[in-house]
Amino acid sequence: MNWIPSIFRRDKLYGDLSEEIRLHIEERAEQLIGEGLSREEAERQARLAFGNRTLLEERSREVWQWPTLESIWADLRFALRQLRRSPGFVFVAIVTLALAIGANAVVFAVLNGLFLRPLNVPQGQSLYSLQRGNEKYIVQSYPDYLDLRDRNRSFNGLAAYTIVQAGMDTGKDPSHVWLYGVSGITSTYWAFTRILAGSFSRPMSAAPEALRISCSHGPIGTVIFRTIATWWAAPSG
Amino acid sequence: MPVENKPMTKTASRDLFPGALEMMILESLRRQPAHGYALVQHIQQRSNNLLQVEEGSLYPALQRLLKAKLVKAEWGVSATNRRVRTYQITASGLRRLEQQISSFERMFEGIALVLNPVNPLPARRNLQ
């Protein structure tokens, strides 16, 4: 653990070193003056004989350092000093980076949401949406759905859903809510409920539980009641 | 000591094999404690100025020796009444010096054999 005290001794070590080198050059210069050189010339030659003082002082300090770590730190400090010196460049660089990173983040978020993130259901890749209708209005009748379901040979199962309106009263104020009505409790149905739960704008506190309610649409009556209730009850506390 | 006008380039110190400068410093200090400037003078004079050690290159070497506790340093006043940092060899410095000298002698012998193959040592000839 030799290095711990040496960190604290550094300043003294470096100070001693600089002082020592200064005195060395001074002594050499004075000797040269004694030999008849002018002070200016003597000092020049003394510096020349010593070599690259900055470099040699740095090499001497390196002996006491953890070379890699400290040279990285020194490079960092140098970089920061350079940055401080040219704020205009820094501003342009930061704005450029920020725009580039922001744009990339947006593109990634869209891609991730649309294509990359798998659906939170088993074998999400084999989940299909069947639609029929025209460009403006995609809807099919419940009997059509029953025909499709009964004659289905391509899929493990089929489920239909629709958006229904209802009045909901949890004991406080009754209010108007929008519900997803989903047909039949099947594995396909559970896949649906999970996808639908994910599409709510508020986070759901629990997995949806199905409850049969009667509504004017007749047989399409299984509703993700719990989910809706959680979502709906949250604002009023 | 004569002063050369040509700049002493790094070549001088680079041409020394690794550890040579440290060995010469230790040997000089074994004779007597000295400060950096006196060490340079001593090495250059003892080598008949054949070794033009770049003066500054002494200091990294001295720091290495200090760190390895082969020498110790103290601020004091020189005979010429100058403030100087005097270096002194330690007991482990002496041991290291002996090891270095003996390994240097082996290396020198090897180099001499390569450079002068016409007149190898008799013992070596028998081996061939």
Side-chain angles (χ1 to χ4, degrees), chain A residues 11-233:
Chain A
D11 285 347
K12 182 173 164 16
L13 284 167
Y14 296 169
D16 280 348
L17 184 70
S18 294
E19 174 73 353
E20 196 178 1
I21 288 175
R22 190 184 64 77
L23 289 170
H24 179 120
I25 296 172
E26 200 179 284
E27 187 170 353
R28 160 70 95 180
E30 278 176 22
Q31 192 194 346
L32 292 172
I33 291 169
E35 288 171 14
L37 284 170
S38 69
R39 172 162 286 277
E40 197 183 337
E41 179 62 11
E43 282 173 355
R44 195 186 72 83
Q45 290 205 9
R47 281 197 302 272
L48 213 57
F50 190 84
N52 185 338
R53 177 175 174 176
T54 315
L55 182 72
L56 289 162
E57 216 172 310
E58 201 168 290
R59 288 233 184 97
S60 306
R61 285 200 212 112
E62 273 170 10
V63 171
W64 303 96
Q65 297 168 351
W66 303 323
T68 321
L69 200 69
E70 299 206 10
S71 73
I72 290 172
W73 175 231
D75 285 350
L76 265 177
R77 277 184 310 184
F78 177 68
L80 286 176
R81 279 202 303 276
Q82 294 291 95
L83 290 181
R84 251 208 312 265
R85 215 174 285 171
S86 43
F89 172 78
V90 173
F91 177 76
V92 171
I94 289 176
V95 167
T96 309
L97 280 172
L99 285 176
I101 292 169
N104 270 303
V106 167
V107 169
F108 177 76
V110 170
L111 272 178
N112 188 41
L114 290 181
F115 301 110
L116 299 178
R117 196 172 55 193
L119 291 168
N120 185 25
V121 292
Q123 293 175 298
Q125 74 279 6
S126 46
L127 202 62
Y128 288 86
S129 162
L130 297 180
Q131 296 181 334
R132 204 160 59 174
N134 58 35
E135 285 171 7
K136 287 180 184 168
Y137 196 59
I138 300 170
V139 71
Q140 50 194 345
S141 70
Y142 186 68
D144 278 350
Y145 157 70
L146 292 179
D147 287 344
L148 282 170
R149 187 192 66 188
D150 295 342
R151 290 172 177 76
N152 163 43
R153 280 179 314 192
S154 307
F155 297 99
N156 286 337
L158 284 172
Y161 79 95
T162 189
I163 297 170
V164 294
Q165 300 179 56
M168 175 121 59
D169 186 359
T170 56
K172 294 180 182 172
D173 304 322
S175 64
H176 173 245
V177 293
W178 292 90
L179 304 177
Y180 278 104
V182 184
S183 68
I185 301 177
T186 62
S187 60
T188 319
Y189 160 79
W190 284 112
F192 255 129
T193 56
R194 286 195 206 165
I195 295 165
L196 293 176
S199 69
F200 287 117
S201 59
R202 290 173 194 282
M204 297 299 146
S205 63
E209 280 173 13
L211 256 181
R212 241 167 224 290
I213 61 164
S214 61
C215 84
S216 59
H217 290 69
I220 307 177
T222 309
V223 170
I224 322 160
F225 180 78
R226 168 79 176 277
T227 305
I228 298 288
T230 310
W231 167 66
W232 176 81

Side-chain angles (χ1 to χ4, degrees), chain B residues 18-66:
Chain B
L21 188 57
E22 279 91 340
M23 189 168 69
M24 291 189 290
I25 292 170
L26 286 176
E27 173 59 27
S28 308
L29 293 178
R30 190 179 64 80
R31 291 159 187 269
Q32 65 175 62
H35 65 293
Y37 183 72
L39 276 170
V40 173
Q41 304 278 308
H42 182 254
I43 290 172
Q44 295 190 345
Q45 279 165 7
R46 293 278 299 181
S47 72
N48 282 340
N49 287 331
L50 285 175
L51 293 177
Q52 289 292 343
V53 178
E54 187 184 43
E55 294 184 14
S57 68
L58 192 77
Y59 288 91
L62 278 172
Q63 298 300 310
R64 282 193 291 275
L65 293 172
L66 264 181

Side-chain angles (χ1 to χ4, degrees), chain A residues 28 32 35 37 45-46 49, chain B residues 1-6 8:
Chain A
R28 160 70 95 180
L32 292 172
E35 288 171 14
L37 284 170
Q45 290 205 9
Chain B
M1 200 177 104
V3 178
E4 295 193 352
N5 278 328
K6 76 174 171 63
M8 293 177 201

Side-chain angles (χ1 to χ4, degrees), chain B residues 62-95:
Chain B
L62 278 172
Q63 298 300 310
R64 282 193 291 275
L65 293 172
L66 264 181
K67 194 185 182 192
K69 296 200 167 77
L70 301 177
V71 301
K72 54 184 181 183
E74 258 177 31
W75 284 102
V77 178
S78 74
T80 53
N81 208 23
R82 299 186 61 86
R83 186 164 176 263
V84 289
R85 196 179 185 204
T86 307
Y87 291 86
Q88 204 174 341
I89 194 165
T90 62
S92 55
L94 274 172
R95 280 197 297 278

